[in-house]
Amino acid sequence: MNYIEATYLLSSEKKFDPEIKIKDYIKKIFGDIKHLPEVADVDSFYDSDLKIHKALVKIKYPVILFRHDMSSVLSILYGEIVIPENIKLINLDFHPAFLDHFKGPSFGVKGIKDAVGIHHRPLIAGTLVALNGISREKFKDIVTLSAEGGLDIIRESEIFFDDAMIPFEERVKIASDIVSEFSQKSGKNILYSPFITGSITEITEKVSMGIEQGIHLFTLNLFPLGFENLQFLSDTFRAGFIVNPGYPPFFFENDLFGIQPTVFYGRFLRMAGADLVIIPSPYRNKTTPHHRSVEVASSLTEHFEDIKPSMPVIYGDIKPKDVYSIFTDFGNQIVIDIKDAFTRHKKGIKEGAKAYMDIIECVVSGSSFEECKIINPDISDFDL
């Protein structure tokens, strides 16, 4: 029989028998079914620093218990077993035959880089933040200037809900025409990624509408959307999805419960079909440990059977000099999302975008930050 093996970390201030505890949980959850999960391995130890008793417990779940969807995977591996107390899901090993039923990302790292036509460096994305209630003229202007500045990806913020002034169909037509024009001029494809929200019916209609207008990359907020709907969209459309997980840090950062970030990002999100995954920059956001961001990025690109790697998107208040650190720490197969920093250049949006594009070229060519400022003096003129 084929199995999915899940490893959990159990902890308690009082000494306990982890095998008895887990077997009791399994019995309560699954009853007397024929194909009952099995305890495969137990390793107990005492954490003298925290003064807590801990145990690593590996459970083998028969594949027959699962459907080939994210709902059953999440419900069985996480939704039930961790409810009682102080149990954290820290590792997963899927049987290859089970993973064959998950398409994963449509494009992944290589597909996104091929679409842009850039392979020698990280991609630079800019986020359009102040869009609620924006006029058609202002929207057209900001997209045009962003494209003229040479950004690789221009995407809409996840808080863009009020589009009464410029409905979805109209703005994707405007954006598609602009990026198409400048892509032809520059010889490099610029990708525009609108934010889509609403019911799954509305979202499906918007993706179809966007594809008809030449848009093939969309931004989603996972928390309200859900894994199941993400998997549906990825399986249904030949499109890429930038996914903001949207979960509070304690959901996967706590040492005693939740999901190990490398499992949450590197397994669940990839299985569900996320092409690009937003992870917080560790340079300005001190609540995210530096090593954790690096681990998460690695989990998105490491080998995972036949499921394509997802591209990490390093996101946050990224200042020009941070680009050097990001390249050193995360490498080439990433997107650096500079949020709206490029819009706060003293000379304007176009100059701000171009400054960041010049910085990334300096980084990969080995030019120092001071040398780069000589090449483009506008690099110093930000109100950040």
Side-chain angles (χ1 to χ4, degrees):
M1 181 179 294
N2 296 335
Y3 294 91
I4 295 172
E5 295 186 351
T7 302
Y8 300 91
L9 175 66
L10 283 65
S11 59
S12 175
E13 293 181 354
K14 298 180 179 180
K15 192 172 182 179
F16 65 101
D17 187 322
E19 185 165 1
I20 291 177
K21 190 171 186 177
I22 284 292
K23 284 183 176 179
D24 183 48
Y25 289 157
I26 290 173
K27 185 73 172 178
K28 288 179 180 178
I29 294 167
F30 295 96
D32 294 317
I33 62 173
K34 181 178 179 181
H35 302 289
L36 204 63
E38 307 170 8
V39 176
D41 190 38
V42 177
D43 181 18
S44 300
F45 57 98
Y46 181 70
D47 188 329
S48 56
D49 292 332
L50 297 178
K51 295 181 172 52
I52 291 177
H53 296 275
K54 294 182 177 181
L56 293 173
V57 179
K58 180 179 289 186
I59 301 176
K60 295 171 62 175
Y61 294 89
V63 169
I64 197 171
L65 295 176
F66 300 82
R67 298 183 319 203
H68 299 123
D69 57 36
M70 293 304 300
S71 179
S72 66
V73 170
L74 288 164
S75 296
I76 293 176
L77 297 179
Y78 176 75
E80 291 291 343
I81 197 69
V82 299
I83 285 176
E85 60 177 315
N86 290 353
I87 301 179
K88 182 169 186 175
L89 175 60
I90 65 168
N91 193 33
L92 281 174
D93 290 310
F94 290 93
H95 193 279
F98 181 77
L99 285 181
D100 284 344
H101 295 274
F102 290 82
K103 184 172 71 69
S106 295
F107 298 127
V109 174
K110 184 178 184 302
I112 294 297
K113 286 217 160 190
D114 286 346
V116 178
I118 298 293
H119 297 88
H120 71 287
R121 60 166 174 79
L123 302 182
I124 300 291
T127 301
L128 308 183
V129 174
L131 293 179
N132 285 315
I134 195 171
S135 67
R136 291 167 175 79
E137 294 74 21
K138 182 63 176 176
F139 177 79
K140 186 174 182 179
D141 184 52
I142 193 173
V143 176
T144 299
L145 292 171
S146 301
E148 287 179 340
L151 295 175
D152 300 310
I153 299 173
I154 304 167
R155 75 177 190 90
E156 296 173 357
S157 166
E158 296 88 335
I159 59 171
F160 182 26
F161 293 102
D162 179 13
D163 60 357
M165 296 287 288
I166 180 168
F168 182 85
E169 185 174 12
E170 185 173 350
R171 77 175 190 268
V172 295
K173 176 66 167 64
I174 291 172
S176 179
D177 288 345
I178 292 171
V179 298
S180 177
E181 177 185 348
F182 284 96
S183 293
Q184 291 177 5
K185 286 182 180 179
S186 65
K188 180 199 77 175
N189 289 330
I190 299 171
L191 302 182
Y192 189 84
S193 179
F195 174 56
I196 51 177
T197 188
S199 68
I200 189 59
T201 301
E202 291 174 307
I203 289 175
T204 301
E205 291 173 352
K206 288 178 179 179
V207 174
S208 297
M209 193 184 304
I211 291 174
E212 289 176 3
Q213 298 290 353
I215 299 291
H216 294 278
L217 187 63
F218 302 87
T219 297
L220 301 169
N221 194 333
L222 180 70
F223 194 33
L225 179 71
F227 278 96
E228 195 77 359
N229 287 328
L230 171 60
Q231 184 184 2
F232 166 75
L233 293 170
S234 181
D235 288 348
T236 303
F237 296 102
R238 177 60 178 169
F241 296 97
I242 301 176
V243 177
N244 187 338
Y247 281 93
F250 68 79
F251 183 79
F252 51 85
E253 286 290 351
N254 190 286
D255 289 331
L256 302 183
F257 69 91
I259 301 175
Q260 188 78 359
T262 50
V263 173
F264 182 84
Y265 285 82
R267 294 294 183 261
F268 291 154
L269 281 168
R270 287 173 67 179
M271 290 170 66
D275 294 271
L276 303 97
V277 179
I278 295 172
I279 63 177
S281 165
Y283 306 102
R284 303 292 160 191
N285 182 0
K286 298 304 181 184
T287 62
T288 303
H290 183 277
H291 76 278
R292 185 68 78 201
S293 292
V294 174
E295 289 172 356
V296 166
S298 297
S299 73
L300 288 167
T301 57
E302 68 186 9
H303 176 72
F304 184 28
E305 298 300 334
D306 292 330
I307 294 180
K308 294 186 183 77
S310 299
M311 183 171 277
V313 180
I314 314 300
Y315 175 80
D317 293 320
I318 294 169
K319 296 185 178 182
K321 202 168 185 179
D322 292 337
V323 177
Y324 283 81
S325 298
I326 292 172
F327 181 71
T328 299
D329 294 341
F330 293 92
N332 186 41
Q333 307 300 302
I334 62 168
V335 175
I336 301 174
D337 191 325
I338 57 177
K339 201 176 175 181
D340 63 340
F342 69 103
T343 69
R344 302 197 296 275
H345 193 277
K346 294 176 182 178
K347 291 184 180 178
I349 294 173
K350 175 182 175 181
E351 290 77 11
K354 188 178 186 306
Y356 273 96
M357 300 311 299
D358 286 343
I359 289 169
I360 193 62
E361 290 293 354
C362 285
V363 169
V364 296
S365 67
S367 300
S368 70
F369 186 61
E370 295 304 317
E371 290 171 333
C372 203
K373 287 192 292 185
I374 295 174
I375 295 170
N376 183 356
D378 287 343
I379 289 172
S380 300
D381 290 337
F382 282 95
D383 291 321
L384 299 177

